[in-house]
Amino acid sequence: MKLIVFDLDDTLYSATSGVFARMDKKINAFVMRELGLAPDAADRLRRDYWRRYGTTLRGLMLHHGVDPERFLQEVHDVRPHELLGPDPELDAALAAIPARKVVHTNAIREHAERVLAALGVRHHFAAIYDIRFDAYRPKPNARALARILRQEGAKPHETLVVDDQPANLAAAARLGCRTVLVSAHKGHWRMRIPRVHLLPAWLERVHAQFGFAWA
Ligand SMILES: [Mg+2]
């Protein structure tokens, strides 16, 4: 195992932190204002785009000609440091894993930098691949992930993808990567840990069971 590709939002911090809820509100506000929709119509539309394309932004770009940077700057203006604090347990968990670690997020780099700084874990990540990396094409499209592996010089079977969205893991698994879901809820994916902090213990267990080793 050479490379670990971590999702950011709701993976490296808890889905109950309120950070994503703030983004959710901002996305709804943007859609309502730009398209002149009532709250429930806006919410329906963005959920539909999210299901079809992976992000609301992709639908807004394809169907409404929205400027991606205007959208991205606005919806990521959520001040994560107000909701997230240093996480020494996560810091120790990441330090315990001797593989190259990168972030791959449907958000923008600035947001990722703010979140990682708030958690106090920025120094663990060798690179941040954001939504701009593949011309705003979001996960679960695996094109960006394939490019990341090429750039990192890692083969799929040497790569572990850690994400809170089963659809993203399904795309990574089709590429041949190893995958683990971070979710408090049971039954969404064959490999699951309730919190990312448990990754070192999970890796040891998997290693003992299936015998894959670190490069
Ligand atoms: Mg996520």
Side-chain angles (χ1 to χ4, degrees):
M1 194 65 50
K2 240 171 137 173
L3 178 70
I4 306 187
V5 180
F6 288 88
D7 174 50
L8 180 80
D9 293 302
D10 292 357
T11 294
L12 289 178
Y13 62 85
S14 164
T16 59
S17 69
V19 174
F20 210 77
R22 280 190 182 178
M23 278 192 269
D24 230 43
K25 263 195 199 149
K26 297 244 176 193
I27 295 171
N28 274 352
F30 186 98
V31 171
M32 283 166 59
R33 193 186 63 236
E34 293 294 315
L35 307 184
L37 293 175
D40 45 329
D43 199 55
R44 263 202 311 279
L45 185 81
R46 51 163 294 215
R47 278 170 206 288
D48 177 49
Y49 286 165
W50 188 81
R51 261 195 308 275
R52 282 159 68 190
Y53 304 117
T55 55
T56 304
L57 172 62
R58 198 72 195 151
L60 292 176
M61 287 171 68
L62 291 171
H63 300 292
H64 309 278
V66 163
D67 168 28
E69 284 300 325
R70 208 162 54 80
F71 173 88
L72 289 166
Q73 297 296 340
E74 182 172 325
V75 306
H76 290 108
D77 179 21
V78 291
R79 303 179 309 282
H81 63 277
E82 294 175 358
L83 299 165
L84 300 172
D87 187 341
E89 192 192 349
L90 178 61
D91 187 29
L94 293 169
I97 305 170
R100 186 174 163 88
K101 303 168 194 80
V102 300
V103 165
H104 179 204
T105 175
N106 279 347
I108 51 174
R109 164 179 300 275
E110 300 90 307
H111 171 72
E113 294 279 6
R114 288 192 286 265
V115 166
L116 296 175
L119 295 171
V121 297
R122 175 63 182 93
H123 56 288
H124 291 290
F125 297 97
I128 295 171
Y129 296 96
D130 75 351
I131 189 70
R132 301 180 185 111
F133 176 67
D134 194 33
Y136 306 104
R137 249 178 235 96
K139 299 185 266 186
N141 189 326
R143 234 183 73 151
L145 182 59
R147 278 189 62 198
I148 290 168
L149 297 199
R150 276 199 302 279
Q151 189 147 324
E152 292 287 334
K155 302 250 184 300
H157 70 272
E158 302 169 326
T159 302
L160 174 68
V161 176
V162 183
D163 202 299
D164 69 296
Q165 294 296 321
N168 297 346
L169 296 179
R174 278 195 296 276
L175 214 62
C177 296
R178 298 174 194 275
T179 57
V180 62
L181 180 75
V182 179
S183 169
H185 309 290
K186 277 188 180 160
H188 292 295
W189 192 249
R190 52 187 178 269
M191 294 291 195
R192 181 184 70 90
I193 47 177
R195 303 162 62 236
V196 70
H197 308 70
L198 302 173
L199 192 60
W202 178 83
L203 282 164
E204 283 201 3
R205 224 170 43 240
V206 169
H207 175 64
Q209 263 178 17
F210 305 106
F212 72 76
W214 299 103

